[in-house]
Amino acid sequence: MKTREIAEVVGGELVGDGEVEVSRVAALGHAGAGEIAFADKSDAELGEASCVLVGRGYDGPARGGRSVIKVDDPKLAFARVGAILHPSKRYEAERHSSAVVSESATIGKGVFLGAFTCVGDGSTIGDGTVLRAGAKVGDNVRVGSNCVLHLNVFVEDACTIGDNVILHSGVVIGTPGFGFVRDKQGEYHQFPQIGTVVIEDNVEIGANTCIDRGALGETRIGEGTKIDNLVQIAHNVCIGKRVVIAAQTGISGSTVIEDDCVIGGQVGMGDHATVKSGAIIGSQAGVLPGKIVRAGVWWGTPVQPLDEYKRQNAMVKSLARLRDEVKELKKKLGG
């Protein structure tokens, strides 16, 4: 791909040779001939890359036949170029001999069914969707078009998956939620878990993440949301559009996370909490049951606005000094 073509794709201003060929992306410090990198600082050393994506404020020259492309967001532009130069593997239509497909299932055009895949009764697989080896789809499931279900993904009965959804290896969708009622003898009885899971378009879910079905209603993941590995989402949780959730987060039942939120790693959320649109919750924070987290940056356990968390943290760190001062005062007072 020529540098002038890259500039057109990213809407950038090319400085230098527009005919330089680029075939790979690479980190700035290691990039060489035929590779493109990005610099997120205006004074960064550009190294030996054939082309570098830089911010609009960059005023240095293109050197020795190399090129730079000025853009608003170098990292975003780099991601877009990377998707072109390193596209995801494409799968041609195929049904492996070991695939098990119900006679009542509907399989769209161009579908890839890998080894030991299963599609249950009454289920629908949309055009161009890929089920890699070991992926299992239960009964009465709808999987949309151009989805990828990676190795050993399980989608349980009566769940709905939108278009362009990626489920990474080991994802489990639609298992019963963790809901029990205790009787007078102390025995636990499972509350009915007969709802569903709805995953909207353009969602990506990381490896070994589990999403429970609703108890009586639905668990919903909104359009464009990205979920990391090893995340637990309980029954009746509703997650909005374009939400980002990092690894090892646990979200308890009936919690609502509105659009455009960012949830850090290892965050724990109690049941029936609400996270308002635009909130950012830092790693390892704890959200108590029923808590309402409004827009802004939050941290700590229990979760609190970042400025308040910083003040409290500073106070805790000063306790040792305060103790020493109190001891000194007691000595002076003869205590």
Side-chain angles (χ1 to χ4, degrees):
M1 191 175 186
K2 296 184 183 299
T3 48
R4 57 177 172 79
E5 296 172 327
I6 294 173
E8 290 176 9
V9 167
V10 300
E13 176 189 347
L14 176 65
V15 179
D17 189 353
E19 298 301 313
V20 174
E21 257 329 306
V22 172
S23 59
R24 291 179 51 81
V25 299
L28 183 61
H30 301 282
E35 296 179 322
I36 186 170
F38 78 97
D40 51 8
K41 296 181 179 179
S42 59
D43 59 348
E45 188 66 41
L46 299 189
E48 300 301 317
S50 289
C51 183
V52 180
L53 296 159
V54 297
R56 297 284 184 186
Y58 177 79
D59 58 3
R63 304 153 293 103
R66 300 180 180 88
S67 302
V68 298
I69 300 174
K70 298 182 180 181
V71 294
D72 294 329
D73 187 335
K75 190 173 184 179
L76 174 60
F78 184 78
R80 293 176 61 190
V81 173
I84 296 170
L85 295 178
H86 303 276
S88 300
K89 180 178 178 179
R90 297 187 64 84
Y91 292 83
E92 301 297 328
E94 178 185 330
R95 184 183 297 190
H96 194 274
S97 59
S98 62
V100 178
V101 179
S102 169
E103 292 182 0
S104 62
T106 301
I107 307 298
K109 298 178 182 178
V111 170
F112 176 90
L113 299 175
F116 304 106
T117 52
C118 294
V119 181
D121 296 341
S123 290
T124 300
I125 308 297
D127 296 347
T129 284
V130 172
L131 272 65
R132 295 186 64 197
K136 306 290 193 299
V137 172
D139 298 339
N140 301 309
V141 172
R142 180 195 173 276
V143 179
S145 300
N146 301 311
C147 297
V148 180
L149 278 61
H150 284 281
L151 306 176
N152 298 320
V153 166
F154 287 77
V155 181
E156 297 285 358
D157 297 350
C159 294
T160 300
I161 311 293
D163 298 334
N164 306 308
V165 170
I166 300 173
L167 305 179
H168 287 282
S169 298
V171 165
V172 180
I173 306 294
T175 47
F178 190 71
F180 296 88
V181 181
R182 195 177 191 184
D183 64 22
K184 292 180 179 179
Q185 287 72 43
E187 296 293 329
Y188 286 97
H189 304 268
Q190 188 172 52
F191 189 83
Q193 304 293 316
I194 57 174
T196 187
V197 176
V198 177
I199 296 176
E200 298 180 5
D201 299 345
N202 303 310
V203 169
E204 184 164 353
I205 299 175
N208 294 318
T209 284
C210 297
I211 301 178
D212 295 344
R213 66 176 57 249
L216 303 176
E218 66 178 27
T219 302
R220 179 174 289 266
I221 312 297
E223 181 178 356
T225 285
K226 311 299 180 185
I227 300 173
D228 201 356
N229 304 330
L230 297 167
V231 172
Q232 163 62 29
I233 298 175
H235 55 201
N236 296 96
V237 167
C238 182
I239 295 175
K241 303 178 188 297
R242 300 173 301 276
V243 173
V244 178
I245 302 175
Q248 297 183 6
T249 287
I251 302 173
S252 296
S254 300
T255 288
V256 175
I257 301 175
E258 296 182 353
D259 299 345
D260 300 303
C261 293
V262 177
I263 313 298
Q266 295 186 335
V267 170
M269 294 191 185
D271 60 280
H272 294 84
T274 300
V275 181
K276 293 290 189 178
S277 181
I280 300 172
I281 300 179
S283 300
Q284 294 190 329
V287 180
L288 297 178
K291 173 72 174 177
I292 298 176
V293 180
R294 306 192 186 280
V297 183
W298 298 70
W299 220 294
T301 301
V303 75
Q304 54 203 294
L306 180 59
D307 288 344
E308 185 176 334
Y309 171 76
K310 286 181 176 179
R311 284 195 296 271
Q312 291 186 6
N313 198 40
M315 290 174 64
V316 169
K317 288 183 176 180
S318 69
L319 287 176
R321 177 175 54 82
L322 179 61
R323 180 197 59 195
D324 293 341
E325 289 176 354
V326 170
K327 284 183 177 180
E328 188 64 28
L329 283 171
K330 288 176 71 176
K331 287 180 181 178
K332 290 180 178 180
L333 294 172

